[in-house]
Amino acid sequence: MSGLHRKKISIQVCLSGYSFKVDGEDGERFSSAWLEPGTLFSRREFQCSYAEAELSLFTPKCALVPEKYFAAGSERGLLSATVPLDAGNIVLHLAVPQYGAVLLYCADTSRGWCDAILSTLRCSAGKSPKFLPEMYYLLRDLSECGDYNKILASLADGWLYLAIAQGGNLQLANVYRAMDFTTAEYFIFTALKSLQLNPEMSTIRFRTPLEAEQEMSLYRYFRCVERI
């Protein structure tokens, strides 16, 4: 079947569109920008079968809590103490053992959008991909980063998702309202200043597409800017 040589596809979904990364025999290939929902059924990446699919859902309604404060059934109460919840919000949790924490999140954002992708995506038999929150993937990729100062971010729908660690110690995992890139940069540099991290000695990695002007703006301050 066409595309079987492609091992993995990673898809990020926000309210306004989606982006993707394909890992295959020819290396990594990213979408250069956020793509319109209407292009989903015409993209050649969705005409292929994959051995693995990684699906990310952007939901700003999320929070990280220490394992010792978490008990099954307490998800909604704990999350509502941090972010406002609607009556219909579905609250789930994921373990983040590398940081001794539990991630609480709303799973109902962009539900129809997610269903459309799941119905289009083709994976090898036995594989059942499901959507996990973007913050979960930030924390996962953070722990796999080889740098001592680890700075990962995502930007979508006017929200900045930011995770920072030093060595094996998580320093920050938060979501900020950032309706423009200047505001996103403000929150990034404020966080670095509070943690006494020097951007000129650090690499910042984004999981989401960056416009050329945005990337150049970051390069004015950081040693390196990478898309992962």
Side-chain angles (χ1 to χ4, degrees):
M1 182 180 296
S2 171
L4 280 177
H5 64 283
R6 294 189 177 98
K7 180 181 178 182
K8 177 181 176 181
I9 185 169
S10 301
I11 305 170
Q12 295 171 305
V13 175
C14 65
L15 290 173
S16 55
Y18 68 98
S19 67
F20 67 82
K21 178 177 75 170
V22 173
D23 292 297
E25 295 176 349
D26 299 328
E28 296 179 337
R29 181 166 54 84
F30 299 91
S31 55
S32 59
W34 288 101
L35 303 171
E36 295 290 335
T39 66
L40 177 63
F41 300 104
S42 60
R43 294 288 310 193
R44 64 186 179 89
E45 289 82 10
F46 291 90
Q47 311 304 316
C48 306
S49 291
Y50 296 92
E52 183 182 355
E54 181 180 283
L55 308 178
S56 172
L57 175 66
F58 283 82
T59 170
K61 295 183 178 183
C62 61
L64 203 64
V65 299
E67 290 175 338
K68 63 181 179 180
Y69 296 129
F70 175 77
S74 66
E75 293 92 339
R76 189 175 186 87
L78 289 171
L79 187 57
S80 65
T82 305
V83 299
L85 297 178
D86 299 328
N89 284 152
I90 301 168
V91 181
L92 300 176
H93 73 275
L94 288 167
V96 188
Q98 66 269 35
Y99 295 122
V102 175
L103 178 64
L104 311 174
Y105 67 99
C106 282
D108 47 326
T109 307
S110 307
R111 187 67 265 168
W113 213 152
C114 295
D115 291 342
I117 286 181
L118 287 171
S119 67
T120 306
L121 192 63
R122 293 187 291 174
C123 290
S124 301
K127 301 291 184 179
S128 300
K130 63 179 180 179
F131 279 92
L132 299 179
E134 177 64 14
M135 182 59 75
Y136 175 81
Y137 290 114
L138 276 176
L139 293 168
R140 182 204 63 184
D141 292 347
L142 195 70
S143 64
E144 296 175 356
C145 176
D147 296 347
Y148 181 75
N149 292 339
K150 311 170 196 293
I151 308 167
L152 266 68
S154 295
L155 187 62
D157 290 333
W159 293 95
L160 170 71
Y161 300 72
L162 183 64
I164 302 174
Q166 288 184 291
N169 299 316
L170 181 65
Q171 302 294 329
L172 180 145
N174 210 346
V175 183
Y176 304 90
R177 192 60 165 151
M179 295 304 295
D180 54 60
F181 194 71
T182 299
T183 304
E185 286 185 313
Y186 166 80
F187 284 121
I188 291 170
F189 294 124
T190 298
L192 294 180
K193 183 177 180 180
S194 68
L195 296 171
Q196 298 183 336
L197 295 182
N198 183 358
E200 293 181 356
M201 303 296 292
S202 305
T203 296
I204 187 168
R205 295 174 171 86
F206 269 78
R207 281 179 43 87
T208 50
L210 286 174
E211 297 176 4
E213 295 81 2
Q214 296 171 339
E215 186 172 345
M216 290 305 298
S217 178
L218 290 169
Y219 262 115
R220 292 167 54 197
Y221 307 99
F222 284 93
R223 179 185 68 186
C224 188
V225 181
E226 294 182 359
R227 171 86 186 273
I228 63 170

